[in-house]
Amino acid sequence: MQFDLRNILGDFVAIFFPKECACCGCALKYQEKYICIACDFHLPYTNFHTYSDNDTARQLWGKVPIEEACSFILLQKGSRVERLIYQIKYNNQPFLAEYFGYQYGLKLLESELYRGLSAIVPIPLHTSKLRKRGYNQSTYFGQGLSRAMNIPLRDDVLKRQRATMTQTGKDRLSRYENVEDVFVCTQLSQPLGEHVLLVDDVLTTGATIVSATLTLQESWGCKVSVATLARAQ
């Protein structure tokens, strides 16, 4: 019988330094990677990728012309998903965004709605916030999608030309005014393609997505579809 020394050592370390579930904080058991089986079972996955007339798409209709739009999970205040998003954005665990991006990418591959994509474009952070946080969680989400779908990630396309105030606590109109004309497209050494997938971590009012989509369409004339890790309810 052959033994995997790496797994044996990993199990031994886990006895004294157990990893925690990103959603509920309980100790992960054998073969549980980032979230426990119970949380994975109870997460509010949407299946929005299977049909066009979903809540994420409806939220953007009339504001910007999009091809398709979907979100992986639903976000409610005080929920497991809220803790997950907190871990990703503020507790230095961007690999969780990549993990869920990969899982979602496998599902998008099964959907006829997301065929023919040429690139995955993440919503960028302003350089000041990127320096402070150390990473862009939307880029990690896009990396997971890219790896699963075998579509190039293009984080060189969009740039935030000014820092914006936090959207938390703002009403719907103020959120749109806060991100108006905030994005610009950079000069590209390689063509972007005809149909891009714009990705972000959380969809709230949709103001950020709308602003970025309009910038892409006005600059490159491309079709845009949208995918987010979560959609706030």
Side-chain angles (χ1 to χ4, degrees), residues 26-58:
C26 70
L28 293 176
K29 299 176 183 178
Y30 179 68
Q31 292 187 334
E32 292 178 337
K33 194 166 186 180
Y34 299 127
I35 61 174
C36 65
I37 294 175
C39 282
D40 188 37
F41 180 79
H42 288 100
L43 282 182
Y45 295 111
T46 66
N47 286 323
F48 284 175
H49 62 285
T50 63
Y51 57 103
S52 297
D53 186 7
N54 62 67
D55 289 344
T56 290
R58 290 194 205 104

Side-chain angles (χ1 to χ4, degrees), residues 57-217:
R58 290 194 205 104
Q59 191 169 336
L60 299 173
W61 287 350
K63 301 181 180 71
V64 65
I66 56 170
E67 301 300 312
E68 304 290 343
C70 60
S71 301
F72 195 16
I73 48 182
L74 299 177
L75 169 61
Q76 291 183 319
K77 189 173 181 60
S79 67
R80 305 167 195 251
V81 178
E82 185 179 53
R83 187 180 191 277
L84 171 66
I85 297 300
Y86 180 87
Q87 298 300 314
I88 291 172
K89 295 181 69 170
Y90 304 115
N91 202 24
N92 197 33
Q93 298 190 55
F95 55 85
L96 293 170
E98 183 172 4
Y99 168 77
F100 278 94
Y102 183 80
Q103 301 304 317
Y104 204 24
L106 295 179
K107 292 185 177 297
L108 295 185
L109 282 176
E110 300 173 354
S111 173
E112 295 183 359
L113 302 177
Y114 296 88
R115 302 283 170 84
L117 295 167
S118 55
I120 295 172
V121 178
I123 294 287
L125 293 178
H126 189 264
T127 51
S128 59
K129 183 173 287 187
L130 185 61
R131 282 195 300 268
K132 182 178 180 180
R133 184 171 296 171
Y135 58 87
N136 179 3
Q137 67 277 3
S138 297
T139 298
Y140 274 82
F141 180 58
Q143 286 174 350
L145 289 164
S146 173
R147 189 159 54 90
M149 303 177 74
N150 196 29
I151 298 172
L153 178 76
R154 296 294 301 272
D155 59 358
D156 61 336
V157 176
L158 284 174
K159 179 181 178 181
R160 281 186 186 255
Q161 60 182 343
R162 60 180 174 84
T164 55
M165 297 175 63
T166 178
Q167 298 280 62
T168 304
K170 293 183 179 294
D171 60 30
R172 186 175 294 270
L173 178 60
S174 297
R175 285 175 181 253
Y176 275 88
E177 292 174 343
N178 191 42
V179 294
E180 187 176 8
D181 299 324
V182 71
F183 297 105
V184 293
C185 281
T186 60
Q187 295 294 324
L188 300 180
S189 59
Q190 297 179 351
L192 182 58
E194 296 182 356
H195 186 187
V196 304
L197 183 66
L198 181 66
V199 301
D200 203 2
D201 56 345
V202 179
L203 176 70
T204 48
T205 63
T208 301
I209 290 289
V210 167
S211 180
T213 298
L214 289 173
T215 301
L216 284 171
Q217 292 171 338

